[in-house]
Amino acid sequence: MLYMNQEKKTDSLEAMRKFSETYAKRTGTFFCADTSVTAVVIEGLAKHKDQYGSPLCPCRHYENKEIEVAVAYWNCPCVPMRERKECHCMLFLTPENDFSSSNQDISEKELLEHLNKI
Ligand code: SF4
């Protein structure tokens, strides 16, 4: 059982890593020059996906996460991102942002290294 849970968590992390790469490419946005920021946000999204069934934005405080997931406004990609390309987590940055890199990929290895998982 423990093994299955661990596998599910790894799956969510990988799913959110792939989502982030695909979504950055689709929207013409880029990851932060400091990829530890990217890694921590992806991990936060994956944790929320595991705990609440949806990748609720990890960079906000919520009184009740179940209600927020149901409302869906802050499910990633959130409404401000979809409407105005505003990602306050700095996961998806427009090219003119001072912190933007020219990178839309983060390898599984790089992600896990930042999270001290390998
Ligand atoms: Fe996703 Fe929006 Fe949070 Fe950025 S601010 S990580 S787009 S939910």
Side-chain angles (χ1 to χ4, degrees), residues 53-76:
S54 287
L56 189 64
C57 185
C59 312
R60 300 185 63 81
H61 171 73
Y62 308 98
E63 293 298 327
N64 184 316
K65 290 186 179 180
E66 280 93 353
I67 289 174
E68 291 294 343
V69 163
V71 169
Y73 188 94
W74 290 111
N75 289 346
C76 193

Side-chain angles (χ1 to χ4, degrees), residues 19 23 41 45 55-60 62 73-82 86-92:
F19 154 76
Y23 193 73
V41 178
L45 290 170
L56 189 64
C57 185
C59 312
R60 300 185 63 81
Y62 308 98
Y73 188 94
W74 290 111
N75 289 346
C76 193
C78 61
V79 172
M81 180 65 206
R82 281 184 270 144
E86 284 176 14
C87 172
H88 62 270
C89 290
M90 295 179 56
L91 178 57
F92 305 113

